[in-house]
Amino acid sequence: MTRPVQERRITWTKDNVHPLGGYRDELRVDVGSMVRAMRRQFRLVMIFAAIGLVIAVLMILGSVPRYTAAETVLLDEQRADLLNEVSPLPNAVRSDTAVQSEIEIIRSRALAYQVVDLLNLDEDADFLSPPVGATQRVIGAVSSLTDPLARLLTPAPTVSGTTTDGDSAERTIPMLGSDLVVTDRDRAANILRDRLNVSRLGRSLVIEIKFADFEPRRAALIARGYGSAYESFQLGTTDEIAAKAENWLRERLDVLERKSTEAASAVYEFRAANNLVQVRGNLLTEQQQSELASKLMTAAADAAEAEARLESVESLLARSKNGEEIIVVPVVGGQIGADTDALRRDYLDARLRYRRLVDQFGAEHPQAQQLSGSMALLKEAIEVELEQATEASRVAYNISRSREESLRTDLQAITGTSDENLALRGRLQQLEAISETYAQVYRDYLARLEVTMQQQGFPIAAIKIISPAEVPKSASSPRKKAMLLAGLLLGGMLGVLIGTARELLPKPVRKISTLRQEVGINCAGLLPGEKSRDDAGWKPTRLRTIERLAQACEANRQKPGGLLVAIAPLSPGLEDHHALPAALAAHLSHNGTRRVLLIHEEKLPPEAIPGPNAKGPETVLLQKVLESWSEQAGTEASDVDLNMMAKFLRDEFSFVLVALRPLSLAEQSDPHSWSYDSTILRVPWGQVLPGFVTDALMDHPRFHSSLATTVLEDAELATARRYISAGSYEELEINA
């Protein structure tokens, strides 16, 4: 007889978590898990995105529209160059720092006051009391609640300060400006600065002035007012600088005029007193000395040149006397004479012919001997020419030397007579230098004064308004599309953060693999709840799970006789507490071919009690079974021998199913002392953590030791599919 195959349960340990899942410390990115998590939290993200969208709509409806007018101003380089031509103080180069400085000038309080005065904004009640939207009111209400706390935490400002010196003497220092009063003009200037936006367009020299107001025409007027005030500020600044420069220059010119006159008078008085005559701007002795020095330098150069030529010619003559072949004879001018050049050519021609004859016929040839004699005569003639050139060079050198000595004697004579007036000439040069310096400075300052006087009324500023502000046709704020998109994105991001936090929190049991891997127990499958009744997989999933439970019960029936099976929920809260035991009992009865007894520990509702003629399992309460058995045994219900009763039930029925109370509500660790052969645990889907299941089974060791399988009840199939890996065995075989 073939024994039925008992279902083998695998206990997952620390060293064997999942035989097919790889190592625990392996870093992997599970894209499928991420996609399933996104699907699970999609509804939450959409809810928060909708909330953000609604908040953005409320903010738009509660905001007062503002209109922005813009005016563009060019920092004109050509006009700046024109001002540089007429200004003693050149304008700054338009660098990034200079452009930023111009932007800060436009934002300044001084320019704001000019605009207020230009447009009389301090008298405009609508401008000083702008409308307030619902959003601003909410922010104001929140500020009214937080401001008292902020003032409580912030120390009060000191009205008058006291300082203590080393002798502990106190002296009171009054606060500067403590008596200032904020006027409507100040309030208007503050409003202008708050709503003003000044920026540079890219890397250009164009500055854009934007002003936002609740009234479009007033926004355009204020933007244009800022352009006009900025231009007036530039002109006023130029005039102010020119006026201050003119006053200072006039004071300096008076002083310089007096000193220049005194210096010039001192020069003329010194010349007259010392009889110093000037010729063409110089003293007479100085002019003569300069001319002689120039001639002496020329004569010395000529003498040096003649000496060098003489040494060269004497060297050639000495080499010729020593037997060297010298055929070049320079003359006094450094050139070769015509006669000498003819002798040189004849000598070279004779020497060439002589060498050819010697090479062909030898030195004894008559023509060779004749040419040798001619060469000797030519050489003697060249030597004579060289002696004449030497004598001519010596004569030229002596003449140059004599002229140099004569000029040197004349220069020494003049220099000796002028040394007596050396101190006078030095003093005169000092006086002339002082007079010329004062005269030059006076001329420079006089020119600057003239230019400054012209610039003072120069009606050109270094800026140009290239695009006057126009009345805006549409509101610039609130920016509806941007606010709606921001609300949608911020709400969605908040939903993503909350969804991520939910995913990172410990997850309740929703998968069969969770019970197998994290708890270490088997699971027959999912039982869909009533919420999934409209799902196409509700019926096949339910039938398949009950079939697996029945197979688990039949697999534990290893010997003839009945099987006592205890079915207990893990915790209360199941939708239909009696549905699973009844369905399992009906499946095991095979339409009445087997005797199946279903025992309920709790009182059954009327609709769960079958009629007297119904086929299938028999249903009875546990208390009635105990009372009936105690009557037969003649004992009290509390003294009934449960083992004997269990043996009797096994003999009478093929399967005895006992529907117990939830394990978490049991008063004792294992209150049911009668011997059941197998147990089935009912786990509510998505309500308990894996640790809760582990703790409950550890608290009921007898129930755990006989555990055949578990089942996840009241599952939502649509949600369960989001937790199960696509294409996995769990999805294809269990969840359909």
Side-chain angles (χ1 to χ4, degrees), residues 150-158:
R151 286 194 296 268
L152 181 63
L153 298 177
T154 304
T158 304

Side-chain angles (χ1 to χ4, degrees), residues 122-134:
D122 54 340
E123 300 175 1
D124 191 345
D126 293 337
F127 180 77
L128 296 176
S129 300
V132 181

Side-chain angles (χ1 to χ4, degrees), residues 220-388:
L221 287 176
I222 293 176
R224 291 193 177 187
Y226 259 102
S228 301
Y230 181 44
E231 187 174 10
S232 301
F233 180 84
Q234 290 282 348
L235 292 174
T237 303
T238 304
D239 293 343
E240 182 181 357
I241 294 175
K244 292 182 179 180
E246 180 186 356
N247 295 332
W248 184 81
L249 287 173
R250 287 188 181 277
E251 294 176 358
R252 294 301 303 166
L253 280 172
D254 294 340
V255 177
L256 289 173
E257 183 179 4
R258 186 180 69 255
K259 290 185 176 181
S260 178
T261 303
E262 293 175 355
S265 300
V267 172
Y268 288 113
E269 291 175 358
F270 187 81
R271 285 178 181 172
N274 296 278
N275 195 20
L276 296 175
V277 182
Q278 270 191 329
V279 178
R280 290 179 294 181
N282 294 322
L283 294 176
L284 182 60
T285 55
E286 291 179 354
Q287 185 176 2
Q288 293 175 351
Q289 185 178 359
S290 176
E291 292 177 356
L292 288 175
S294 177
K295 292 179 180 180
L296 177 61
M297 292 177 62
T298 304
D302 294 341
E305 183 179 358
E307 183 180 6
R309 188 180 298 112
L310 176 62
E311 291 178 355
S312 176
V313 175
E314 288 179 345
S315 176
L316 292 175
L317 180 60
R319 290 167 59 190
S320 177
K321 295 290 184 181
N322 293 331
E324 293 187 16
E325 189 178 26
I326 303 299
I327 61 175
V328 177
V329 181
V331 296
V332 178
Q335 303 294 330
I336 299 176
D339 296 338
T340 305
D341 188 46
L343 292 174
R344 183 177 63 84
R345 287 198 301 269
D346 292 343
Y347 179 80
L348 292 176
D349 182 58
R351 187 177 61 176
L352 179 62
R353 286 185 296 161
Y354 175 75
R355 287 182 178 178
R356 289 178 180 176
L357 289 173
V358 170
D359 291 340
Q360 292 180 1
F361 305 105
E364 301 298 332
H365 193 273
Q367 292 184 359
Q369 292 180 358
Q370 184 180 359
L371 287 174
S372 176
S374 299
M375 289 173 58
L377 294 175
L378 290 173
K379 186 175 180 182
E380 292 177 358
I382 291 174
E383 186 174 349
V384 172
E385 292 290 334
L386 186 59
E387 291 176 351
Q388 293 178 358

Side-chain angles (χ1 to χ4, degrees), residues 7-127:
E7 185 176 359
R8 181 169 60 92
R9 297 193 299 273
I10 300 176
T11 301
W12 306 108
T13 63
K14 180 179 180 181
D15 298 331
N16 184 19
V17 177
H18 198 315
L20 300 177
Y23 294 99
R24 176 64 62 90
D25 58 352
E26 183 179 355
L27 296 177
R28 294 181 298 176
V29 178
D30 193 349
V31 179
S33 299
M34 296 174 62
V35 173
R36 290 191 296 274
M38 292 167 56
R39 290 178 56 193
R40 291 193 294 268
Q41 305 301 330
F42 180 76
R43 181 181 299 178
L44 177 66
V45 174
M46 289 296 101
I47 291 174
F48 276 92
I51 293 174
L53 193 62
V54 171
I55 293 175
V57 171
L58 294 178
M59 291 181 65
I60 293 173
L61 296 177
S63 300
V64 179
R66 286 190 180 187
Y67 300 86
T68 301
E71 180 155 312
T72 53
V73 177
L74 172 64
L75 303 179
D76 199 345
E77 287 289 343
Q78 296 180 355
R79 297 192 177 198
D81 294 339
L82 181 59
L83 285 176
N84 288 338
E85 294 178 1
V86 300
S87 174
L89 301 174
N91 290 278
V93 180
R94 300 296 186 183
S95 61
D96 292 343
T97 305
V99 175
Q100 187 63 34
S101 300
E102 298 297 328
I103 292 176
E104 294 302 325
I105 289 174
I106 300 175
R107 292 175 180 169
S108 65
R109 184 177 292 274
L111 209 63
Y113 280 131
Q114 290 189 18
V115 177
V116 171
D117 297 337
L118 180 65
L119 301 177
N120 297 324
L121 295 177
D122 54 340
E123 300 175 1
D124 191 345
D126 293 337
F127 180 77

Side-chain angles (χ1 to χ4, degrees), residues 564-580:
L564 190 59
V565 181
I567 305 173
L570 182 64
S571 60
L574 297 176
E575 291 182 357
D576 191 352
H577 181 66
H578 308 286
L580 176 62

